[in-house]
Amino acid sequence: MTLAPHGFLAIESPAPAVHLVRISGGLDPATANRVLRLVDARGCLVAAGECPTRHVLLDLSRVTALAPGTVAVLDRARQVADTHGLTVDLVGTSKHTVALSGRDRHVLLRFRTFPSVGVALDELGRP
């Protein structure tokens, strides 16, 4: 079992209703928990009426490795977002699914996925 090194996060708001978190490097449990905290914080801002976010995109296209347990943390972020009326969608997961366990692949089915950020933004921008 190879553990993923720590990943890096870059945050953008490419559209008023979209909060984009780009993850690069290894997605380890610590990085996944940082993503969970970011999603929760964004949800609290939405609940307080401080921002118009409706969708959180997690861009995994630059992730080099997924450590065991990280998919479960991302699913927890999806659940937290849902309590605030947000969606969490994934970008660029196709290259990682082969290496995942069957359980983790099943968990990923709970997410809407997109091949690229551009495609996601086009889809989310539709009424």
Side-chain angles (χ1 to χ4, degrees):
M1 172 173 67
T2 304
L3 297 179
H6 290 302
F8 299 95
L9 305 178
I11 303 165
E12 303 173 36
S13 291
V18 179
H19 192 64
L20 172 62
V21 180
R22 294 185 191 267
I23 306 162
S24 59
L27 183 53
D28 64 328
T31 304
N33 277 297
R34 287 173 36 216
V35 170
L36 172 58
R37 289 192 308 270
L38 283 169
V39 169
D40 185 42
R42 181 55 49 161
C44 290
L45 288 171
V46 168
E50 297 294 323
C51 68
T53 303
R54 291 287 153 241
H55 308 283
V56 177
L57 285 177
L58 302 180
D59 182 4
L60 307 178
S61 61
R62 294 181 186 154
V63 168
T64 56
L66 290 168
T70 56
V71 172
V73 177
L74 295 181
D75 189 46
R76 179 68 184 130
R78 182 192 58 78
Q79 295 168 7
V80 166
D82 189 52
T83 65
H84 295 293
L86 299 172
T87 66
V88 170
D89 303 309
L90 303 179
V91 173
T93 59
S94 61
K95 70 179 183 177
H96 301 292
T97 55
V98 174
L100 293 174
S101 69
R103 181 178 184 275
D104 284 345
R105 281 194 302 270
H106 182 73
V107 170
L108 284 182
L109 293 175
R110 299 175 186 159
F111 291 88
R112 184 170 40 179
T113 60
F114 298 97
S116 69
V117 170
V119 170
L121 293 173
D122 287 345
E123 180 74 23
L124 297 175
R126 293 185 192 148

